[in-house]
Amino acid sequence: RRLSDVAVAFAPAAAEHPPRRLSDVAAAFAPAAAQPAAAQPAAIAQAAVMAAAEEAAEPLPVAVFDNRAACGEKEVVGLAAAIENIIDLAHQACQSTITVFHCVPAPAVSIRQYIFHIRQHFLCSDECFVLSLAYIDRFLRSNPHVVLDASTAHKVVACSVVLAVKFQDDNYYSNAYYARVTGVTLQELNSLEKHMLELLDYKLFVSPLHFEAYRELVCSAACSQEVIWA
């Protein structure tokens, strides 16, 4: 379940791991809304995004991505590969305690598609996906009762990327917009963000040394397998 347990899976000779299809509750990802405009500073964008979120209650649809479009984004592909491998290991773990990060039933959209959906609409720096993995690793190590599996991965990833964007990037959207993108309500995203911050003890700083270690991990994960979409 921890990243140290899955590092061996990212050896150059690793086999292909096609994304798993999760069980059916992707109503949140039904086609409906248009794609967002380019990102603006939060102070400028907040009012416009809040109004747009009120007018369009449905979340943004998860798009189907071309493999070729993803080949240059190692941090993003690597995060998806790392999470997929952790989910694989979760099948061997004991039943996890039900937490606020659980989806019942699990979403039908694969975690790989979900991460690239976030990448497309968050318009954040690639470094945010490295920080996301660092936060998830820190989160799992300090909360052994939480298992990252098909039921928890989507909300944990969504929340960790939101925290990473706010910590790393100068410009970002409001939570109302991020809620639309990730397929949860604004109230739930606010609650998840607060909960994860508390479990991380509000420690979002990652030292340059550790950041480079996580970057190497995600890049190695990206290079070790061919990009395959569910």
Side-chain angles (χ1 to χ4, degrees), residues 12-119:
E16 295 178 347
H17 289 280
R20 263 62 52 192
R21 278 204 178 272
L22 308 178
S23 37
D24 195 3
V25 80
F29 301 107
Q35 295 183 0
Q40 306 173 54
I44 300 174
Q46 185 169 2
V49 171
M50 287 289 289
E54 292 175 357
E55 292 175 4
E58 300 111 357
L60 298 174
V62 174
V64 176
F65 296 94
D66 188 325
N67 291 357
R68 294 167 296 178
C71 289
E73 301 183 351
K74 289 185 178 180
E75 289 85 354
V76 185
V77 177
L79 175 62
I83 299 302
E84 285 174 350
N85 279 276
I86 295 173
I87 291 173
D88 279 347
L89 289 178
H91 294 310
Q92 307 167 18
C94 299
Q95 182 67 33
S96 63
T97 305
I98 299 299
T99 69
V100 295
F101 297 100
H102 273 79
C103 298
V104 181
V109 63
S110 73
I111 193 63
R112 182 179 289 266
Q113 284 181 314
Y114 189 69
I115 288 172
F116 269 81
H117 171 75
I118 289 174
R119 173 69 171 107

Side-chain angles (χ1 to χ4, degrees), residues 122 162 165-166 172-183 189:
F122 273 32
V162 168
V165 172
K166 292 181 178 180
Y172 51 84
Y173 286 110
S174 71
N175 271 18
Y177 175 73
Y178 290 140
R180 281 190 62 208
V181 172
T182 57
L189 181 59

Side-chain angles (χ1 to χ4, degrees), residues 20-222:
R20 263 62 52 192
R21 278 204 178 272
L22 308 178
S23 37
D24 195 3
V25 80
F29 301 107
Q35 295 183 0
Q40 306 173 54
I44 300 174
Q46 185 169 2
V49 171
M50 287 289 289
E54 292 175 357
E55 292 175 4
E58 300 111 357
L60 298 174
V62 174
V64 176
F65 296 94
D66 188 325
N67 291 357
R68 294 167 296 178
C71 289
E73 301 183 351
K74 289 185 178 180
E75 289 85 354
V76 185
V77 177
L79 175 62
I83 299 302
E84 285 174 350
N85 279 276
I86 295 173
I87 291 173
D88 279 347
L89 289 178
H91 294 310
Q92 307 167 18
C94 299
Q95 182 67 33
S96 63
T97 305
I98 299 299
T99 69
V100 295
F101 297 100
H102 273 79
C103 298
V104 181
V109 63
S110 73
I111 193 63
R112 182 179 289 266
Q113 284 181 314
Y114 189 69
I115 288 172
F116 269 81
H117 171 75
I118 289 174
R119 173 69 171 107
Q120 183 185 37
H121 295 291
F122 273 32
L123 301 174
C124 58
S125 64
D126 290 340
E127 287 78 8
C128 293
F129 296 92
V130 179
L131 285 176
S132 170
L133 188 61
Y135 295 160
I136 291 172
D137 188 30
R138 189 179 292 174
F139 170 73
L140 294 176
R141 288 177 182 276
S142 59
N143 300 278
H145 64 284
V146 180
V147 174
L148 195 70
D149 56 19
S151 298
T152 59
H154 293 70
K155 288 183 179 179
V156 169
V157 167
C159 192
S160 67
V161 178
V162 168
L163 292 179
V165 172
K166 292 181 178 180
F167 185 82
Q168 171 69 22
D169 291 356
D170 293 329
N171 300 330
Y172 51 84
Y173 286 110
S174 71
N175 271 18
Y177 175 73
Y178 290 140
R180 281 190 62 208
V181 172
T182 57
V184 299
T185 65
L186 173 59
Q187 292 74 18
E188 183 175 17
L189 181 59
N190 289 341
S191 176
L192 290 172
E193 184 179 13
K194 180 176 181 291
H195 193 65
M196 182 171 277
L197 277 170
E198 290 173 348
L199 293 177
L200 289 172
D201 198 23
Y202 295 88
K203 295 176 180 177
L204 299 183
F205 175 75
V206 176
S207 69
L209 182 64
H210 284 96
F211 181 86
E212 286 306 315
Y214 284 110
R215 186 197 288 275
E216 288 180 10
L217 180 61
V218 295
C219 289
S220 177

